[in-house]
Amino acid sequence: VRLSELSEHSGLPIATIKYYLREGLLPAGARVNARQAEYGDEHLRRLRLIRAMQQVGGMSVSQVRNVLTCAEDGSFSRHERLGITQYLLPPHVEPPAGDQHWVEVRAEVDALMVELDWQVNSWSPSLDALTRAVVALRHLGYRSGPEDLKRYAMAVRPLAEAEYLVIDEEYPDLDEAMEATVAYTLLYEPILLAVRRLAHEDVSARLHRRRPLSPLRPDPPPAPDPAEH
Amino acid sequence: VRLSELSEHSGLPIATIKYYLREGLLPAGARVNARQAEYGDEHLRRLRLIRAMQQVGGMSVSQVRNVLTCAEDGSFSRHERLGITQYLLPPHVEPPAGDQHWVEVRAEVDALMVELDWQVNSWSPSLDALTRAVVALRHLGYRSGPEDLKRYAMAVRPLAEAEYLVIDEEYPDLDEAMEATVAYTLLYEPILLAVRRLAHEDVSARLHRRRPLSPLRPDPPPAPDPAEH
């Protein structure tokens, strides 16, 4: 298709697509003549991936370029490319220099990975994100020992495995798999957090035997009182 | 203790404590004489709660005041007070007006709560947060049906129940329970998200039979080759 149609199909302005072409985020189309080029499905998929990384992932153009460069580098495997995509997604936590408490918690986090036998890189950003949250909890005086973290890891693992298998099976195309990695990683996060808060509310309601003030399902009408007959 | 000691114990500047007193976030101390007042443990606990809501929860002074007003209103039960605390924590999602797609997804979310028999208020902000994430996923063309959401809800529920029981049993004091609600709700969120990403990495490594590029545990030395002897 021509540039104008690519713009129509992707919902992106022509100026934006030209910017991506200039910045090297989108490969050039096949030249038809001196002034026109032809674009294919791979261009449409690439535009969707760029949009997902920018709008859902909040990634900058240079971060997007980093991911795409890896995607095109034949020396990286699919596992490595999807891993790099995940690593570049926010948040990125900077470990504070010379904080002994941080070093201790990070060692506990590393030991937990070894105990679980999880095969992760020592430079995975999630290890620092995990460390920061545990440091903050303990700073406020809350316990958050390795056993607590292990419970979280075990509870989340089946979900993560199912998510990964969907991406692996349904998106053999690498651009689509990278886009799915961005979308699944980031958009299932608020889902996980929202159902947790709803579960808290339900547990509290049951413990205190309280009905919701404004229930989602109205109470059934009371059973007829046999004494009235 | 005197104001200067309260400042020392809480780690907060005297000017900040005076500001909280003026704004009504902190109850006045017992007057010792015209110029001095005496503060107790309840003041220290309240300062910790205010700090947790502001620093961890990112709440404004007026949001903090709303929570504390409820905490002191005898007409609310403990369940309601902790619920109000949770509801005031970010994020707050504004449902778009007149979006038919949103209305449909929100109806699915409500139906899921009824199917799970979770007792939650129809105005719980997490129902809108959940709706927004599902709308965004579907907008990008990903499936995210009620069965998917149900799996997340079921996986997270045992964790949420354990968290709530800790707060209920260990913090009979309401200010402490509210502080724990803020800390547990918000600080276990990055933990949940980090272990999920680490699980993705491990699943990917196993599926593709790849060892981490930089493992947390060095490989054991190779077994001696019997042929060498």
Side-chain angles (χ1 to χ4, degrees), chain A residues 48 51-52 56 77-80 82-83 86-87 89-91 106 109-110 112-124 126-127 129-130 133-134 136-137 139-145 148-149 151-153 155-166 168 170-171 176 179-181 183-208 210-217, chain B residues 48 51-52 56 77-80 82-83 86-87 89-91 106 109-110 112-124 126-127 129-130 133-134 136-137 139-145 148-149 151-153 155-166 168 170-171 176 179-181 183-208 210-217:
Chain A
R48 279 178 50 112
R51 195 183 58 164
V56 183
S77 67
R78 181 178 164 101
H79 165 63
E80 282 157 359
L82 295 185
Q86 192 220 59
Y87 283 9
L89 296 176
R106 171 64 202 249
V109 164
D110 288 354
L112 175 68
M113 293 298 117
V114 171
E115 190 194 335
L116 290 167
D117 193 27
W118 281 13
Q119 299 186 10
V120 298
N121 278 314
S122 59
W123 40 280
S124 167
S126 297
L127 295 168
L130 187 50
V134 175
L137 268 170
H139 181 68
L140 288 174
Y142 296 101
R143 292 178 322 202
S144 179
D148 288 304
L149 298 183
R151 267 195 302 127
Y152 282 79
V156 162
R157 186 168 170 107
L159 291 175
E161 190 155 342
E163 288 162 351
Y164 193 88
L165 291 177
V166 166
D168 211 59
E170 298 194 7
Y171 305 99
E176 284 184 345
E179 186 194 337
T181 297
Y184 269 77
T185 303
L186 294 174
L187 288 176
Y188 272 104
E189 292 186 345
I191 289 176
L192 206 50
L193 303 186
V195 294
R196 172 172 170 260
R197 291 196 192 183
L198 292 164
H200 282 153
E201 183 173 344
D202 177 53
V203 172
S204 179
R206 284 171 196 284
L207 260 177
H208 298 280
R210 301 289 296 222
R211 309 301 306 271
L213 297 175
S214 159
L216 290 165
R217 176 167 52 188
Chain B
R48 279 178 52 114
R51 194 183 59 166
V56 183
S77 67
R78 182 180 165 101
H79 166 63
E80 282 157 359
L82 295 184
Q86 192 221 57
Y87 282 9
L89 295 175
R106 171 63 203 248
V109 164
D110 288 354
L112 174 66
M113 293 297 118
V114 171
E115 189 193 338
L116 290 167
D117 193 24
W118 282 12
Q119 299 186 10
V120 299
N121 279 313
S122 59
W123 40 280
S124 168
S126 297
L127 295 168
L130 187 51
V134 174
L137 269 169
H139 181 69
L140 288 174
Y142 296 101
R143 293 178 322 203
S144 180
D148 288 304
L149 298 183
R151 268 195 304 125
Y152 282 79
V156 162
R157 184 166 170 108
L159 291 175
E161 189 155 342
E163 288 163 350
Y164 193 88
L165 290 177
V166 166
D168 211 59
E170 298 194 8
Y171 304 100
E176 285 184 346
E179 187 193 335
T181 297
Y184 270 76
T185 304
L186 294 174
L187 289 176
Y188 272 104
E189 292 185 344
I191 289 177
L192 207 50
L193 303 185
V195 294
R196 172 171 171 260
R197 291 197 192 182
L198 292 165
H200 283 153
E201 183 172 344
D202 177 55
V203 172
S204 178
R206 284 170 197 284
L207 260 177
H208 299 279
R210 301 289 295 221
R211 309 301 307 270
L213 297 174
S214 160
L216 290 166
R217 177 168 51 188

Side-chain angles (χ1 to χ4, degrees), chain A residues 14-29 39 46-47 50 53-54 59-70 72:
Chain A
I14 289 181
T16 303
I17 298 177
K18 283 186 170 170
Y19 171 68
Y20 291 157
L21 285 165
R22 274 200 311 279
E23 290 289 320
L25 304 188
L26 192 67
Y39 300 90
R46 174 58 57 96
L47 285 176
I50 296 170
M53 289 196 282
Q54 288 198 312
M59 289 163 67
S60 68
V61 167
S62 74
Q63 286 178 315
V64 171
R65 191 190 293 109
N66 284 347
V67 177
L68 297 177
T69 307
C70 300
E72 274 146 18

